[in-house]
């Protein structure tokens, strides 16, 4: 460490110790050094404890002084606040007295006004009671006059009611006699009309029976001819498909199944016709009620007949479409079979070529192995 020309404290003691230690053993010197170090540590510990005690005393004194200052400051503030509150209380007391005087004056004025208004109310009540009494008298007089008028009107109404009742009874008896005569005449006319209606009904019944039988025969003939045509076409197609192949045989079987279905449908239609005939018979029995119902049911029968004919035509068209579709499918299958045959032939050629190349590749390897 530089000294900058100044004598260092304790340097003389160190020099003296060095001079003394020159003649001593090193063990003694180490022991002395250890003792001095222990003494220094003890001094340092004592100084630290002393400093801690002084610090704690200082903190206690500072806390006590701060408490004393706060207490004195609070007292000063309380005194100031008391003086302010006293001055405010005096001002408030003065203002309260002034407002009390003002309110008392207002109360006196209102009490005088109230007395005057009570006197006015009493006068108004007296006048109102007088007016009410006058109105009650007028109402009593008016009700008496109305009662007299009501009695007079009631007597007149009773007299008129009795006269009108007598007139109505006489008129009712006269009209009753007229209605009895009219009812007898209408009964005779109804009997005549009933006999005429029965004759007309029997005539129309015979006509409808003949028409229905004719229509049934015509429909039966048309259905039989169409069935024969269908059977002929199916047999022709059957011969054609039998000559071609087994696949067409399967198709023919399908066609026969569909033919059976159509036959079943035709039989169901025939059953429907029979049911319709039965219903027609029931309708004929019910035709005794009205003629209009018979005409409507005949129209319904005609509509159903047209529907069956349309349905049969639709079935025929469906059969033709199905046949065309099956022929197209057959053509597609033939084309696909040809294409597959060609592809298989090409693959067989490729396989033969590969086998040849494999055989050619095997021979040189075998020679090398030999």
């Amino acid at each position: 460490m530089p000294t900058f020309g100044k004598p260092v404290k304790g340097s003389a003691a160190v020099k003296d110790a060095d001079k003394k230690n020159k003649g001593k053993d090193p063990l003694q010197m180490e022991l002395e050094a250890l003792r001095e170090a222990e003494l220094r540590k003890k001094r340092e510990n004592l100084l630290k404890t002393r400093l801690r005690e002084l610090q704690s005393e200082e903190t206690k004194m500072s806390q006590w002084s701060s408490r004393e200052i706060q207490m004195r400051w609070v007292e000063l503030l309380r005194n100031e606040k008391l003086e302010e509150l006293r001055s405010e209380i005096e001002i408030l007391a003065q203002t309260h007295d002034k407002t009390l005087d003002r309110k008392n004056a207002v109360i006196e004025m209102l009490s005088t006004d109230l007395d005057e208004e009570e006197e006015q109310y009493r006068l108004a009540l007296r006048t109102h009671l007088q007016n009410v009494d006058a109105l009650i008298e007028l109402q009593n007089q008016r009700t008496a006059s109305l009662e007299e008028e009501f009695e007079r009107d009631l007597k007149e109404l009773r007299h008129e009611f009795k006269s009108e009742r007598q007139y109505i009874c006489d008129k009712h008896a006269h009209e009753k006699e007229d209605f009895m005569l009219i009812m007898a005449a209408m009964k005779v006319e109804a009997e005549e009309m009933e006999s005429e209606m029965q004759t007309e009904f029997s005539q129309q019944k015979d006509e409808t029976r003949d028409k229905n039988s004719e229509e049934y025969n015509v429909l039966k003939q048309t259905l039989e001819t169409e069935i024969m045509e269908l059977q002929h076409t199916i047999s022709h197609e059957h011969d054609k498909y039998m000559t071609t192949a087994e696949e067409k045989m399967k198709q023919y079987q399908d066609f026969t199944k569909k033919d059976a279905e159509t036959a079943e449908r035709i039989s169901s239609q025939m059953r429907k016709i029979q049911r319709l005939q039965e219903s027609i018979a029931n309708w004929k029995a019910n035709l005794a009620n009205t003629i209009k119902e018979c005409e409507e049911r005949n129209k319904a029968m005609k509509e159903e007949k047209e529907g069956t004919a349309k349905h049969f035509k639709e079935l025929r068209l469906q059969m033709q479409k199905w046949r065309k579709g099956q022929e197209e499918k057959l053509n597609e299958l033939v084309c696909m079979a040809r294409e597959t045959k060609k592809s298989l032939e090409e693959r067989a050629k490729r396989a033969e070529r590969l086998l040849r190349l494999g055989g050619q590749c095997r021979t040189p390897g075998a020679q090398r192995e030999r």
Side-chain angles (χ1 to χ4, degrees):
M1 184 175 176
T3 57
F4 299 104
K6 292 180 182 180
V8 179
K9 290 179 181 180
S11 61
V14 170
K15 286 176 181 180
D16 293 333
D18 290 333
K19 286 175 182 179
K20 287 177 183 179
N21 290 325
K22 283 178 181 179
K24 290 181 180 180
D25 294 328
L27 290 169
Q28 288 179 358
M29 289 172 71
E30 285 180 0
L31 287 169
E32 287 177 359
L34 288 167
R35 286 172 188 171
E36 286 176 0
E38 287 177 358
L39 289 168
R40 283 175 190 172
K41 284 181 181 179
K42 286 179 181 180
R43 285 174 188 172
E44 286 176 359
N45 290 323
L46 289 168
L47 285 167
K48 284 179 181 178
T49 53
R50 182 64 181 165
L51 284 168
R52 285 172 184 169
E53 288 174 358
L54 289 169
Q55 189 177 1
S56 63
E57 287 177 0
E58 186 69 27
T59 51
K60 286 177 182 178
M61 289 296 287
S62 64
Q63 288 176 359
W64 182 79
S65 61
S66 64
R67 285 175 187 171
E68 287 290 328
I69 290 160
Q70 285 178 359
M71 291 292 288
R72 288 180 183 178
W73 182 249
V74 168
E75 286 178 358
L76 288 168
L77 288 171
R78 280 178 183 172
N79 292 323
E80 287 291 327
K81 192 71 179 175
L82 279 169
E83 289 177 357
E84 288 178 0
L85 290 168
R86 282 172 185 170
S87 61
E88 287 178 358
I89 287 163
E90 288 177 357
I91 293 160
L92 288 168
Q94 290 175 2
T95 53
H96 179 67
D97 293 332
K98 288 178 182 178
T99 51
L100 260 174
D101 295 333
R102 200 183 302 124
K103 296 283 182 183
N104 288 323
V106 170
I107 288 162
E108 288 177 357
M109 288 172 70
L110 289 168
S111 65
T112 54
D113 291 334
L114 215 159
D115 294 331
E116 290 176 358
E117 286 177 357
E118 281 181 355
E119 288 178 0
Q120 289 177 1
Y121 172 73
R122 285 170 187 167
L123 289 168
L125 204 149
R126 287 172 189 170
T127 53
H128 176 69
L129 290 170
Q130 288 174 2
N131 291 323
V132 167
D133 293 332
L135 288 167
I136 288 163
E137 288 178 359
L138 285 168
Q139 185 68 25
N140 290 325
Q141 291 175 3
R142 192 173 178 184
T143 50
S145 63
L146 288 168
E147 283 178 357
E148 289 176 358
E149 287 178 1
F150 176 74
E151 290 292 333
R152 274 186 272 131
D153 292 332
L154 202 148
K155 287 178 182 178
E156 289 176 359
L157 284 167
R158 282 177 180 171
H159 182 68
E160 288 176 358
F161 175 75
K162 286 178 182 178
S163 61
E164 284 179 359
R165 185 180 178 187
Q166 189 66 35
Y167 175 71
I168 288 163
C169 289
D170 296 334
K171 193 175 181 181
H172 176 70
H174 183 66
E175 287 177 354
K176 190 175 179 181
E177 290 176 359
D178 293 334
F179 276 119
M180 291 297 288
L181 293 169
I182 289 162
M183 287 289 286
M186 285 177 74
K187 191 173 182 181
V188 173
E189 288 178 359
E191 288 176 355
E192 291 175 357
M193 287 288 287
E194 188 176 358
S195 62
E196 289 176 0
M197 291 286 284
Q198 284 180 356
T199 54
E200 287 178 0
F201 174 71
S202 62
Q203 290 175 2
Q204 288 181 0
K205 186 177 179 182
D206 296 329
E207 288 175 0
T208 51
R209 188 184 293 165
D210 296 330
K211 283 180 183 178
N212 286 321
S213 63
E214 288 176 359
E215 288 175 356
Y216 174 72
N217 293 320
V218 169
L219 202 148
K220 189 175 180 181
Q221 287 175 2
T222 53
L223 288 170
E224 285 176 354
T225 53
E226 287 177 356
I227 288 161
M228 290 296 289
E229 288 176 359
L230 283 168
Q231 287 178 355
H232 181 69
T233 53
I234 288 162
S235 63
H236 182 68
E237 290 293 329
H238 180 266
D239 295 331
K240 191 187 286 184
Y241 286 121
M242 285 294 288
T243 55
T244 55
E246 290 179 359
E247 291 178 356
K248 290 186 178 181
M249 191 71 186
K250 291 178 182 178
Q251 290 177 0
Y252 174 72
Q253 288 175 359
D254 295 331
F255 281 124
T256 52
K257 286 178 183 179
K258 288 194 174 178
D259 189 12
E261 288 177 359
T262 52
E264 285 177 0
R265 287 178 184 173
I266 290 159
S267 64
S268 66
Q269 292 291 329
M270 291 293 287
R271 287 171 189 170
K272 283 182 182 178
I273 290 162
Q274 288 177 0
R275 287 173 187 170
L276 289 168
Q277 285 178 355
E278 290 174 359
S279 64
I280 287 163
N282 292 322
W283 291 343
K284 286 176 182 178
N286 291 322
L287 276 170
N289 294 323
T290 50
I291 297 162
K292 290 181 181 180
E293 290 180 0
C294 182
E295 290 176 356
E296 289 175 356
R297 287 175 183 175
N298 285 324
K299 285 179 183 178
M301 285 287 291
K302 286 177 183 178
E303 288 175 357
E304 285 185 0
K305 185 183 78 176
E306 290 173 357
T308 51
K310 286 179 181 178
H311 185 65
F312 184 75
K313 287 177 182 178
E314 287 175 357
L315 286 170
R316 194 172 178 184
L317 290 168
Q318 285 177 4
M319 285 285 288
Q320 290 175 0
K321 287 179 182 178
W322 185 77
R323 285 171 186 167
K324 287 179 181 178
Q326 291 295 322
E327 286 177 358
E328 289 175 356
K329 285 179 181 179
L330 266 173
N331 292 321
E332 287 178 359
L333 282 168
V334 170
C335 293
M336 287 170 75
R338 287 174 184 172
E339 289 176 357
T340 51
K341 192 175 180 181
K342 287 177 182 179
S343 64
L344 287 168
E345 287 175 354
E346 289 175 357
R347 287 180 182 178
K349 287 177 182 179
R350 286 179 185 174
E352 288 175 357
R353 190 178 176 187
L354 288 167
L355 289 168
R356 286 174 191 170
L357 290 168
Q360 289 174 5
C361 291
R362 281 176 191 172
T363 53
Q367 287 175 5
R368 284 177 188 175
E369 286 173 3
R370 287 174 189 174

